[in-house]
Amino acid sequence: MKPTAQRLTPLGDHFFATLNHRIAAIKAAGGDVIRLDAGSPDLPPAAHIIEVLARSAECPENHAYQPYNGTSELRQAWAGMYSRLYDINLDTELEILPLLGSKEGLFNLTQALVDPGAVVLVPDPAYLTYAQAALFAGGIPYYMPLLSQNDYLPDLKAIPVEVAQRARLLWLNYPNNPTAATASRDFFANAVEFARQHDLLLCHDAAYAQVTFEDYHPPSLLEIPGAMEVGVEFNTLSKSHNMAGWRSGVAVGNRQALAALNKVKVHADSGHFRPILDASAAALAGDQDWLVGRNEIYRQRREVVLARLGEMGLQARTPRATLYVWFAAPPSWSSVAFAELLLEKACLSLVPGSIFGEHGEGYLRLSFTAPLERLEEAMQRMAGVVRTIR
Ligand code: PLP
């Protein structure tokens, strides 16, 4: 076969694709692997959401292609959520675009807006799609370190002016994957000002905005005055409503940016399956109280993980949101070496921080997407390994 397109060259192997093969081999050999690596909720969505999906699938006409931008009912449900949580009013035709999961939107928005040679400002460590999408578009990622001493917020003032002037996009993600850090309204206000000064699009990925603990309510970027002129926010039902496999997300905000994203989408996909549109609308508009109970389950898991890490002498901050605990590898262990050790000796799978960027080195990400008993066992296995290296 002739070689693949040149634009594929900068894309590396996908960490999880490789890990999945590895784990399948360990399981085939009889290993009982505990996976605390992926950020995929283990609990199901609320029963009423699944009922709407099933009912909708029984309507013969619901198996046809659907409008590219979903149903007005779904867009209204997203608008309702933004109004309820943040007191933001969105135009349901021009400021809301349903996505096949937010990842699709992160990737395609980059294709729509980034020319070869343009700079894309990307946090380090970060969800990998921001940089990979930039590379695929021929853009140049400029990595903004997220450091513990800065509460994992990028220092926008440290970005050289000539880099900022060439930048087309600036990515932010709070509550953050992988560090679980959060950002304040003041930080977002500075970022809006920075975007205005340098005429770039501020893209905020709010995937974890509703996975929160102890009454923490993260701000939306769009609450900031002027954000609508320079910003887009991505949201998703994957984590908030335990619907990762459904592929139901949204982009909201700046109209020109959404129109450009839609232009890519109409050529790349043909919308959602109608029952997913209907059930997504039900998820957003229906009873939200169950999120409180679900978040309480995560909080209890978080407590177990933090307590056991503390007993092992491994340092972690207490996350106010997300599915993750970001903790320091034992002294003198690289994140990859320690993750390897855990997988080999304890059949325990975590993500080495360095896969998220060079500033993730020295940390691991543990996803508490497993029942309490399984988490307890995972932490016991980890403690056993840590004892052997002391
Ligand atoms: N953004 C962040 C920060 C994520 O961690 C993830 C998934 O792990 C996504 C986006 C993608 O979510 P979705 O399932 O909506 O594509």
Side-chain angles (χ1 to χ4, degrees), residues 69-131:
N69 65 345
T71 55
S72 69
E73 192 197 9
L74 175 59
R75 293 193 302 279
Q76 272 162 21
W78 278 113
M81 187 199 96
Y82 268 84
S83 161
R84 193 172 63 234
L85 292 182
Y86 310 113
D87 205 13
I88 295 168
N89 291 320
L90 294 168
D91 181 300
T92 53
E93 292 303 315
L94 301 172
E95 293 170 350
I96 301 182
L97 182 58
L99 302 169
L100 300 166
S102 59
K103 183 178 187 177
E104 175 259 300
L106 312 177
F107 194 86
N108 283 331
L109 181 72
T110 308
Q111 307 317 312
L113 296 182
V114 174
D115 277 320
V119 170
V120 177
L121 303 172
V122 178
D124 172 0
Y127 185 59
L128 293 174
T129 301
Y130 316 136

Side-chain angles (χ1 to χ4, degrees), residues 101-103 106 127 130 173 177 205 207-208 236 238-239 247:
S102 59
K103 183 178 187 177
L106 312 177
Y127 185 59
Y130 316 136
N173 161 224
N177 174 17
D205 178 353
Y208 298 90
T236 174
S238 291
K239 325 286 176 173
R247 315 312 300 132

Side-chain angles (χ1 to χ4, degrees), residues 30-333:
D32 170 27
V33 182
I34 304 183
R35 295 198 67 163
L36 305 180
D37 50 64
S40 189
D42 57 311
L43 297 164
H48 72 90
I49 301 171
I50 298 170
E51 279 161 27
V52 173
L53 179 87
R55 256 201 322 277
S56 177
E58 280 171 11
C59 292
E61 66 273 20
N62 285 358
H63 296 263
Y65 289 122
Q66 299 298 314
Y68 290 106
N69 65 345
T71 55
S72 69
E73 192 197 9
L74 175 59
R75 293 193 302 279
Q76 272 162 21
W78 278 113
M81 187 199 96
Y82 268 84
S83 161
R84 193 172 63 234
L85 292 182
Y86 310 113
D87 205 13
I88 295 168
N89 291 320
L90 294 168
D91 181 300
T92 53
E93 292 303 315
L94 301 172
E95 293 170 350
I96 301 182
L97 182 58
L99 302 169
L100 300 166
S102 59
K103 183 178 187 177
E104 175 259 300
L106 312 177
F107 194 86
N108 283 331
L109 181 72
T110 308
Q111 307 317 312
L113 296 182
V114 174
D115 277 320
V119 170
V120 177
L121 303 172
V122 178
D124 172 0
Y127 185 59
L128 293 174
T129 301
Y130 316 136
Q132 297 297 318
L135 291 168
F136 194 73
I140 303 167
Y142 177 88
Y143 294 100
M144 307 176 291
L146 302 189
L147 306 175
S148 159
Q149 60 266 33
N150 295 341
D151 294 328
Y152 297 110
L153 297 168
D155 179 0
L156 300 178
K157 289 203 262 334
I159 299 168
V161 177
E162 60 281 12
V163 172
Q165 293 299 24
R166 284 173 52 213
R168 185 68 184 94
L169 305 180
L170 161 58
W171 285 102
L172 296 175
N173 161 224
Y174 294 97
N176 183 258
N177 174 17
T179 66
T182 54
S184 66
R185 278 184 192 78
D186 284 350
F187 173 77
F188 281 151
N190 285 336
V192 166
E193 185 47 36
F194 182 87
R196 208 198 327 260
Q197 260 174 24
H198 299 290
D199 190 24
L200 51 78
L201 185 75
L202 178 54
C203 301
H204 180 234
D205 178 353
Y208 298 90
Q210 290 194 76
V211 182
T212 58
F213 315 116
E214 285 131 0
D215 291 330
Y216 174 60
H217 296 289
S220 161
L221 172 70
L222 299 182
E223 286 177 46
I224 307 302
M228 210 63 150
E229 280 93 74
V230 296
V232 168
E233 185 159 273
F234 290 89
N235 220 308
T236 174
L237 298 181
S238 291
K239 325 286 176 173
S240 63
H241 290 71
N242 298 345
M243 291 163 67
W246 294 50
R247 315 312 300 132
S248 189
V250 76
V252 297
N254 184 269
R255 298 176 178 201
Q256 290 79 19
L258 296 198
L261 169 56
N262 195 39
K263 199 161 177 181
V264 176
K265 282 179 62 59
V266 295
H267 293 292
D269 71 66
S270 297
H272 291 84
F273 182 36
R274 176 64 188 253
I276 291 182
L277 295 170
D278 292 342
S280 297
L284 289 161
D287 170 36
Q288 304 297 304
D289 286 349
W290 75 277
L291 294 184
V292 177
R294 191 280 315 274
N295 285 347
E296 174 56 20
I297 294 174
Y298 283 149
R299 193 195 61 78
Q300 289 172 11
R301 294 174 178 182
R302 179 196 72 171
E303 294 308 297
V304 166
V305 171
L306 291 172
R308 300 292 168 265
L309 287 173
E311 286 158 17
M312 289 176 232
L314 298 178
Q315 283 180 358
R317 290 196 193 188
T318 302
R320 291 198 288 175
T322 78
L323 308 167
Y324 310 118
V325 173
W326 181 245
F327 69 95
S332 79
W333 281 81

Side-chain angles (χ1 to χ4, degrees), residues 15-16 36-37 123-128 146 152 176-179 325-330 333-340 342 349-366:
F15 172 78
F16 282 102
L36 305 180
D37 50 64
D124 172 0
Y127 185 59
L128 293 174
L146 302 189
Y152 297 110
N176 183 258
N177 174 17
T179 66
V325 173
W326 181 245
F327 69 95
W333 281 81
S334 76
S335 59
V336 167
F338 188 57
E340 276 291 320
L342 292 174
S349 179
L350 306 186
V351 185
S354 57
I355 72 126
F356 299 105
E358 69 176 86
H359 291 91
E361 180 49 274
Y363 293 89
L364 288 99
R365 191 190 78 177
L366 181 154

